[in-house]
Amino acid sequence: MAAEDRPADVLGPAAREAGGRIRATLAARFRDLDLAEDAFAEACVRAAQTWPGEGVPRDPAAWLYRAAFRAALDQRRRQAVRLRLQPDPPPPSPTAEEALVDDARLIPDERLRLIFVCCHPAVAVEARAALTLKLVCGLSTAEIADAFLIAEPALAQRLVRAKRKIAEAGVPFEVPSPDGWAERMDAVLSTLEIAYAKAHADAAGAGPHAGYAEEMLRLTALLVQLAPEDGEARAMAALVRYAEARRPARLDDTGAMTPLSEQDPALWRRSLILEANVHLAEAERLGAQSARALNAAIHGVWCSRRSLSDPPPWRRVLILYDAMLERRDDVVVRLNRCVAVAEVKGVDAGLTELSALPGPGLARFQPYHAVRADLLRRAGRRAEAAEAYTCALDLAAGPAERLWLERMRRQVAD
Amino acid sequence: MQYMLLIYEDESVFASTGDQAAVMDVVGKHMALSQSMGAALVNGAGLKNTDAATTVRTGAGGKQTLHDGPFAEAREQLGGYYLIDVPDLDAAIALARQVPLYAQGAIEIRPLLTHGEHKNG
């Protein structure tokens, strides 16, 4: 017992830190996500009631696990009685010896199973990330609703529906077999990628996504730790780290965004870049060749820049975008490739590529107008550029990007 | 856990003017699949085309009407099913992936209500 610790200061962090592991273990054991969540919540309530009187336990996580486990058994027994079925015999109480086991040995790590359950292809796409953040990372429904910019009741309903589907459709609490692994891991990583894109798009980092970008660092680290031999998971971990490393340089003093090629590498978080380099090297060793892995490689090329006096690595970036186009041919990749083409082969070549982009939906695609405006400005076509900047501003842009677009529009309007 | 694999495809491809060898090929594949399912297969059947269907519809107030044809006109029709008993959804998906189709279509996987269970909202 550590008498000097105030219970209230210990419970929050302990619950946050161990919650994912405890919920995952209970979910795997009882095959019931709601039961796992409720039992853990009950354990936290009991901790809040008893720790102030009895003192903080030596190992708070182990205490919470035992209390949650007992709460889950209790609930199950009550359910069994309600159904008039013979309840399972209660498990033997923990012995004195067991009470000395620390949490790392006591609580098996079932979080990978839980992640695969939350991101199972049978779960609605729009619920997967939220479910993962809630059950594995312990974010509250309110926090997730903030991050995804949806109303809390709507999100709560989505979560309820997803959990019911998992229970009723018989989604297994298992890691997939080797022949299904790649497809299922892809479903997990795509879920995280989409969720992260939302966080990354918020350049200001002051919005509700900021804290949850940090959560993506933790979640990808966890995934790599649980599935160390999966190259795609490594690529995802690298991708998030490179992108987060640059966050401090993404805004200038006025709060406007700074384009990647103009960011001062001295402001980037070196420690994250070094971590990302390790993950990317592992991804390559493990043979990861997806569009995601190439995207991570592109980020890696940018983050290898040490100062603004180094020439921007556009040639290498273009080669990687060419390779990426063979794997993921969509408008986002093509648009990014146009930017690289304009740098390597000249603005006119970039504009030619841009005009060849497939039409439908493009008019409503904000990044298209932003890129087009920039290329027109550099080609000296000022009136057209001003018009394109206006189009980009009319479509939803974040505050940092607005400031930058407005500044650019003033340049061509003068 | 028991699941129904509901087979939806465009039944017009099986019309007599179609390629009979290809139809027989699909039938052969169904027989092979039934064999390979072993104990997982509870039962299964193909359904006659929807022009043999009759629908009894019960409307508000219990008023019943009878009409010729399937309950809903769609591009793809329910053409057969397998009832299987497997450990979990992943096992059901693995079998659903093996269900042969003439060209394209969809297999809907529906868990059966178990004894004492009720439909809820």
Side-chain angles (χ1 to χ4, degrees), chain A residues 94-106:
Chain A
T95 62
E97 199 179 332
E98 276 172 340
L100 290 172
V101 173
D102 66 8
D103 70 12
R105 281 166 59 209
L106 177 69

Side-chain angles (χ1 to χ4, degrees), chain A residues 29 33 81 91-92 121 131-132 152 159-163 165 185 192 201-202 211 224 250 256 290 298 324 406 414:
Chain A
R29 166 80 190 243
L33 296 178
V81 169
L131 203 55
T132 309
E152 194 180 334
L159 290 169
V160 166
R161 220 177 281 141
K163 282 188 284 189
K165 171 76 191 279
M185 183 54 101
L192 300 188
D202 178 23
V224 163
R250 290 175 67 193
S290 65
I298 292 171
M324 201 159 152
E406 279 161 1
D414 287 346

Side-chain angles (χ1 to χ4, degrees), chain A residues 120 122 164 168-172 183-184, chain B residues 1 3 88-90 93 97 111 120-121:
Chain A
H120 195 284
R164 188 185 296 158
E168 294 192 347
V171 171
E183 189 188 350
R184 293 285 304 281
Chain B
M1 220 174 144
Y3 295 89
D88 56 45
L89 181 64
D90 281 356
I93 292 173
R97 282 187 198 278
N120 49 22

Side-chain angles (χ1 to χ4, degrees), chain B residues 9-11 73-77 104:
Chain B
E9 44 187 338
D10 178 359
E11 64 187 13
E73 295 291 345
R75 205 162 45 80
E76 283 156 334
Q77 298 81 25
Q104 51 190 16

